[in-house]
Amino acid sequence: MLMEEQNLIEETINLKYPLPLMIGFFLLNIIFLPIMISTIFFIMHVSVQNWVFPLSVVLSGGITYFMFDRDNKRTIISVLCGILCLAFALLICAKTYDFSWDGNTYHKNMIGLLKYGWNPLYETFYDYAKEFPFMEVATETWHDAYPKATEIWAATVYTVFENIEIGKAFNLLGMISLIFICWAFLFEMKVLKYWQSFICALVFSINVVSLIQIFTYYNDGFLWEMILLFLISLLYLTFCESGRCKKIVYYFIFLSINIGFNVKFSSVIFFGILGFTFFFFWLIEKWHREEWKKAIFLVSEKFFILASSVISGFALIGSTSYVVNIIRHKNPFYTMIGEDSTEMITANLSAVYKPLSNISRFICSLFSKTGNWPSTIEWKLPFTFYKAEVLQSQIFDIRIGGWGIFFSAIFLISVAYILFYFLKNRKEEKRLFYITLILTLVTVICIIAIPGLVWARYFVGLFYIPAIAIMLLYKNINRDTAHISQHSIILGILCTLLLLNNIPPITRDFDIMKETKPIKTKLETLKYVSELGEIHMDYTYPTHNFSGRFFNIIDEKISNFKYGQVDTNNADLLFHPQYEFPYSYISYSVSTPNHLSDYISSIDRSKYLILMAVKDDASNALTEDIIKDMNALGLNFYTQDAYRNAYAAIIGNKPIFEQKNDSAIAYDTEFEGVEISIQSAGYTEGDNASILLNGKEYAKNQRGLNIVVYNKELHHVTDSVYVDLYENDIVRR
């Protein structure tokens, strides 16, 4: 084995570093540096600044240049590719909305306050939140206590782009960076062919949990990307101890621990178990070759890297949680352990799972139908799935069977093949066998000891098992030509099942993208009406308050609203995602100009197009003042003697079209690429008012004058009202 390692070093010493490794390195620094810089400035009493993120991008490029032998050409290529990946992640996250529970109950709360000046080292969340009335419902203790790495990163991006949704790009960036890094390391260690390494990297980095969380502020998938980075770094030091990437791997260990420790408290368990396991493996392995003192000396460098990373993760990057918790509560893991701990796992499980042991829960979850609150344990045969599971698989934090509808079959095939591989190759690959055996024992111990692993989002590492199986399949295909067809069939089945397993969350991601436009339109409509009148907002269901969504409203420059009780019977609702629940809605009522003349005159006609159509009648309640005000717009408006006449008009800076008739009116035109169709009919001629834009109906089709307001700059409808001029000139929605 030592000879093979030496040959590997000699073969690679004169090669250039892999571009994927440089790209992944650059992207990870873009995640790490804003967190580190902002935390240092917190210590100096400076809140999140808008120059931190762009500075971090520049520094990431510089660090990449120096860490990879000052290779100008490859650094430029990797930085450009990394910036493209960054731009893609930021853009797609800016254009989607986080509808999740955790995202809107506390992640966005923390991000919003950090952006607006909260310094978590010196101010409590609740003291600072007093400046935001809608935050009065945020009373959970974890706002102050929880690790804040992803929230700090999101806040640095938020301050630049003024869009709270863009900050959730850390999930996509983490996934992309680990794809590149896994790809590079698998090929660097001469494990697989180049394209095989890429496929295995995809399987290691992309899974059901990461996919379903990609457009949310949930950070479980991201945490396990950091654990994956830590694991592959430890494996590299095990199998390529003197490899050329050693200094980069040391940096990855430092980076993964510092970020991972500050994503979730539970990360300390997984990093600690992996770190201790590999350290003692190295120590014992050296001891068998050398005397004890020399063995300790040989692993001292690795110990120093691990120890310094842990200290930094707790004392520096973790100062906003671990240090603060020690100062305030004498407990670094406040809310996770101790007198004031919050029992989240058992409390959020179905009653049938609560009395079970940890390992029983895990087994039941793994081989059950995918669901959230089953009244019984719903076993299912591997390779089968039920229609109801597909929709359940699209919930952000599914509790039971959350690894996917086909994962039980994937798990069994993977475990069976890994066992087969080592039964056949145990003697030839002793080192790999021992590492696999140790990691298997560690996994079993974790399942027995840690209560949360019944819940897929807390145990994303289970997806590494099929990734390892696929890696071993490729190894056998490359060298066992006599049985290549058998290995290929198993590989095909496993890859097909993994692809099918990922379809429900991918479908949900596309649904989220589709839901973006109507949400955005509604927010822009709210902005429009906020310029006309006063808005009152409140939570539709006071027991479930998604205060983070108010930052979406503020981002639209809607700040002149009053927070307080709203009559939901006479109010509209914000946020209507396809699979979301009604408790996440925000109710609002708007007091705009009450009278037709005031309403029309308040509209900026250089920015908006006004479309009108009469249904039934719009003459009975007309007054000379109304007619005069409407004629001042350049119209030859409906008159008092036009009882039940049809009327239609389009007004921009000046009237574009106007017609009134005692018979029905139908008018079709095109305006800047938008197809417009207007119909108007009095009571005896069809009793109808229709205003279609690109085939979609926007008119209220109520008696009187129906008005639709179209934003010429943003190319969508911002308001639709009607005025029952048969009775009065009051504007109604």
Side-chain angles (χ1 to χ4, degrees), residues 133-134 136-137 535-539 550 561-565:
F134 56 84
E136 67 183 24
V137 297
I535 303 175
H536 294 262
M537 294 190 188
D538 195 8
Y539 303 103
F550 276 89
F561 61 86
K562 290 187 176 180
Y563 170 74
Q565 189 171 0

Side-chain angles (χ1 to χ4, degrees), residues 561-615:
F561 61 86
K562 290 187 176 180
Y563 170 74
Q565 189 171 0
V566 173
D567 181 3
T568 55
N569 295 319
N570 298 300
D572 206 342
L573 298 172
L574 275 175
F575 304 107
H576 297 79
Q578 184 177 347
Y579 301 122
E580 195 55 279
F581 303 103
Y583 51 63
S584 64
Y585 296 164
I586 292 173
S587 302
Y588 71 91
S589 63
V590 183
S591 302
T592 55
N594 290 330
H595 300 281
L596 175 61
S597 299
D598 296 332
Y599 178 81
I600 293 293
S601 62
S602 67
I603 299 172
D604 181 356
R605 286 180 288 135
S606 65
K607 184 177 179 181
Y608 298 99
L609 200 65
I610 306 170
L611 304 98
M612 302 179 183
V614 165
K615 174 182 178 177

Side-chain angles (χ1 to χ4, degrees), residues 201-212:
L202 292 178
V203 180
F204 269 111
S205 305
I206 301 175
N207 54 68
V208 166
V209 175
S210 296
L211 287 171
I212 202 67

Side-chain angles (χ1 to χ4, degrees), residues 93-108 111 163-166 168 170-171 212-219 396 508 512 515-516 519 546 548-549 552 575 577 580 584:
C93 289
K95 298 294 183 181
T96 53
Y97 289 91
D98 178 5
F99 301 121
S100 69
W101 181 292
D102 285 20
N104 289 284
T105 53
Y106 79 93
H107 287 299
K108 282 186 184 177
I111 294 161
N163 179 351
I164 197 168
E165 297 296 341
I166 204 169
K168 61 183 182 286
F170 63 81
N171 276 316
I212 202 67
Q213 293 185 355
I214 205 168
F215 293 140
T216 75
Y217 272 110
Y218 277 102
N219 52 21
F396 298 125
R508 175 60 171 135
I512 289 174
E515 290 156 4
T516 295
I519 297 290
F546 283 57
R549 289 191 170 172
N552 293 111
F575 304 107
E580 195 55 279
S584 64

